[in-house]
């Protein structure tokens, strides 16, 4: 079994709803982006038109310059107010010229002046109002875009929580997925072997349900109970390599790296827990196997040792038999010490 391989497919309403919510929020974000871009363009074009109108550029030139630039309803309002102001100014200037020659009555002149002032006030008011409306609509569109993006990000993170980290657009498109939109694939998290399957077809599951047990046997852990008297040696082993043998492979010597050198001594067994990790590329080492670990120690010379089978015990006392002659053997009590392999140390006796 390889990492990423599909082990089972779960039909989940929660997954289906989460995918649909993300799909919906993505569509709303795209729409908000288009709307925001439009209002920004309208705002920029409106400001440019207002600037041109303030400079007094002829209306024919303005219409030609801004003909292809979108401004919505603002264009007609601004140009209409500008045209009224231009007409009122022209009427006033024409009457001013003839009034100076005494041709027009002062009453008409006053009316033309009032009309010009009204047109100027209306034009100034329209400029201010339209600038405000264009900016307000732009800000509102930007806020809607930010809101849509936030909703999309939240919906995306909800799917991440459910296990979808790199989700593609087609995976959440209901037109493509149809009923499979609610399917959740359970994939192997790493290379390994399925050692148990705890579910059956159509069984209901929840986050606490164990569906499979998977093990990676490319490495195995060794656990050893080290007697208290060897603690000084154990303290120096962390990060070091130790060797061990398994009864199933008597001619093979394995090695492992110590990553934990017991910090706590069991009060009952008077042992400390040592753990090491060993590479197992061929899978020969199996969990639960009994192994014998060789601990490196100091070199001691002139040690009296005998085969382990030569030492016997009775009532807590150790003894050996020493051959005195061909038919005579003498029992001698001894005190045993350390052992290594098939040999055991005789300390006294």
């Amino acid at each position: 079994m390889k990492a990423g391989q599909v082990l089972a497919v779960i039909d989940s309403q929660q997954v289906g709803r989460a995918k649909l919510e993300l799909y919906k929020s993505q569509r709303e974000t795209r729409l908000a982006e288009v709307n925001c871009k439009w209002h920004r363009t309208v705002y920029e074009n409106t400001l440019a038109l207002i600037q041109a109108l303030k400079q007094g550029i002829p209306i024919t030139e303005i219409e030609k310059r801004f003909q292809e630039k979108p401004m919505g309803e603002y264009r007609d309002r601004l140009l209409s107010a500008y045209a009224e102001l231009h007409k009122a100014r022209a009427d006033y200037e024409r009457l001013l010229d003839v009034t100076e020659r005494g041709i027009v009555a002062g009453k008409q002149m006053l009316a033309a002046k009032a009309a010009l002032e009204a047109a100027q006030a209306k034009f100034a008011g329209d400029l201010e109002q339209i600038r405000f409306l264009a900016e307000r609509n732009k800000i509102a569109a930007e806020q809607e875009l930010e809101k849509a993006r936030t909703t999309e990000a939240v919906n995306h993170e909800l799917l991440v929580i459910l296990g979808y980290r790199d989700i593609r657009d087609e995976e959440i498109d209901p037109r493509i997925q149809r009923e499979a939109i609610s399917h959740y694939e359970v994939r192997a998290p790493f290379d390994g072997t399925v050692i148990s399957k705890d579910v059956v077809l159509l069984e209901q599951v929840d986050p606490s349900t164990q569906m499979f047990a998977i093990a990676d046997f490319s490495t195995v852990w060794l656990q050893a109970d080290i007697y208290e008297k060897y603690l000084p040696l154990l303290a120096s082993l962390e990060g070091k390599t130790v060797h061990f043998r398994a009864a199933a492979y008597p001619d093979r010597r394995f090695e492992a790296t110590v990553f934990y050198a017991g910090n706590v001594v069991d009060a009952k067994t008077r042992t400390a827990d040592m753990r090491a990790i060993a590479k197992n590329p061929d899978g020969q080492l199996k969990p639960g196997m009994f192994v014998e670990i060789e601990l490196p120690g100091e070199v001691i010379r002139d040690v009296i040792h005998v085969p382990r089978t030569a030492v016997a015990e009775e009532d807590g006392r150790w003894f050996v038999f020493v051959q005195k002659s061909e038919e005579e053997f003498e029992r001698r009590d001894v005190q045993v010490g350390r052992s290594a392999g098939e040999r055991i140390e005789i300390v006294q006796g």
Side-chain angles (χ1 to χ4, degrees):
M1 179 198 65
K2 298 296 183 181
Q5 181 177 337
V6 178
L7 302 177
V9 177
I10 299 174
D11 188 20
S12 169
Q13 293 184 4
Q14 183 180 4
V15 169
R17 285 194 297 267
K19 289 181 179 179
L20 291 174
E21 286 296 329
L22 178 58
Y23 178 81
K24 177 183 175 182
S25 61
Q26 285 182 344
R27 303 286 81 75
E28 291 175 347
T29 298
R30 303 296 90 78
L31 180 61
E33 288 175 345
V34 172
N35 186 55
C36 184
K37 182 179 180 181
W38 164 261
H39 281 287
R40 284 173 176 170
T41 301
V42 168
Y43 175 70
E44 293 170 359
N45 292 339
T46 300
L47 289 185
L49 177 58
I50 290 174
Q51 187 64 27
L53 294 176
K54 286 183 176 181
Q55 294 174 357
I57 299 175
I59 192 168
T60 54
E61 176 65 24
I62 288 178
E63 289 178 341
K64 180 180 179 181
R65 182 184 302 181
F66 292 92
Q67 183 177 5
E68 302 297 331
K69 295 185 177 182
M71 277 177 273
E73 63 179 8
Y74 302 146
R75 181 201 309 274
D76 292 339
R77 289 184 58 183
L78 287 172
L79 292 181
S80 176
Y82 187 66
E84 290 179 7
L85 175 61
H86 185 74
K87 179 179 179 300
R89 181 179 290 113
D91 290 344
Y92 175 76
E93 291 176 352
R94 177 176 55 80
L95 289 175
L96 181 62
D97 181 58
V98 295
T99 299
E100 291 176 351
R101 293 180 300 197
I103 301 176
V104 177
K107 185 177 180 180
Q108 289 180 295
M109 184 62 190
L110 291 175
K113 183 178 180 182
L116 174 60
E117 291 174 348
Q120 288 175 332
K122 183 177 182 303
F123 178 67
D126 285 345
L127 291 185
E128 187 65 25
Q129 184 182 26
I130 289 174
R131 179 198 292 271
F132 169 77
L133 291 175
E135 184 174 8
R136 184 194 64 180
N137 290 340
K138 177 182 76 74
I139 294 175
E142 291 172 342
Q143 291 175 340
E144 285 298 319
L145 175 58
E146 183 64 25
K147 179 180 177 181
R149 285 174 173 170
T150 301
T151 302
E152 180 182 348
V154 169
N155 290 331
H156 182 272
E157 290 305 311
L158 289 175
L159 275 176
V160 171
I161 293 174
L162 292 174
Y164 291 89
R165 297 200 174 276
D166 299 316
I167 189 166
R168 301 185 302 273
D169 289 343
E170 58 267 24
E171 293 183 77
I172 61 174
D173 191 335
R175 298 168 299 181
I176 299 175
Q177 297 296 322
R178 298 184 180 276
E179 67 276 1
I181 193 75
S182 60
H183 289 178
Y184 178 83
E185 295 179 339
V186 179
R187 296 179 177 270
F190 49 79
D191 293 350
T193 303
V194 177
I195 57 177
S196 71
K197 182 173 74 71
D198 305 308
V199 291
V200 296
L201 186 64
L202 300 181
E203 179 180 346
Q204 290 189 349
V205 298
D206 58 46
S208 64
T209 303
Q210 177 174 307
M211 301 179 64
F212 302 93
I214 303 173
D216 177 11
F217 294 125
S218 62
T219 59
V220 292
W221 281 18
L222 275 73
Q223 181 176 350
D225 295 327
I226 308 300
Y227 287 110
E228 188 175 358
K229 62 182 178 180
Y230 296 119
L231 287 182
L233 172 62
L234 187 62
S236 65
L237 288 181
E238 191 160 352
K240 302 292 182 60
T241 298
V242 295
H243 295 86
F244 64 95
R245 296 181 184 273
Y249 312 105
D251 298 329
R252 185 170 178 183
R253 190 165 178 252
F254 301 91
E255 66 178 31
T257 302
V258 177
F259 66 87
Y260 175 74
N263 296 320
V264 179
V265 175
D266 189 287
K268 294 181 179 179
T269 64
R270 309 310 303 172
T271 61
D273 182 21
M274 184 193 79
R275 298 183 185 184
I277 186 168
K279 294 181 180 180
N280 188 33
D282 51 11
Q284 289 186 328
L285 298 173
K286 310 296 183 184
M289 290 179 65
F290 180 79
V291 298
E292 291 185 351
I293 298 179
E294 301 174 4
L295 295 180
E298 60 181 335
V299 177
I300 303 177
R301 303 186 182 279
D302 301 327
V303 174
I304 300 175
H305 56 90
V306 296
R308 186 186 295 269
T309 55
V311 183
E313 181 190 11
E314 182 182 27
D315 295 332
R317 299 176 64 184
W318 296 89
F319 60 90
V320 298
F321 288 100
V322 178
Q323 187 174 8
K324 303 291 290 183
S325 64
E326 291 184 2
E327 297 181 357
E328 182 182 2
F329 292 86
E330 178 182 322
R331 169 175 168 164
R332 293 187 183 176
D333 293 338
V334 296
Q335 181 179 343
V336 299
R338 290 160 291 193
S339 62
E342 296 301 318
R343 311 295 294 183
I344 188 167
E345 178 185 13
I346 301 298
V347 178
Q348 292 180 0

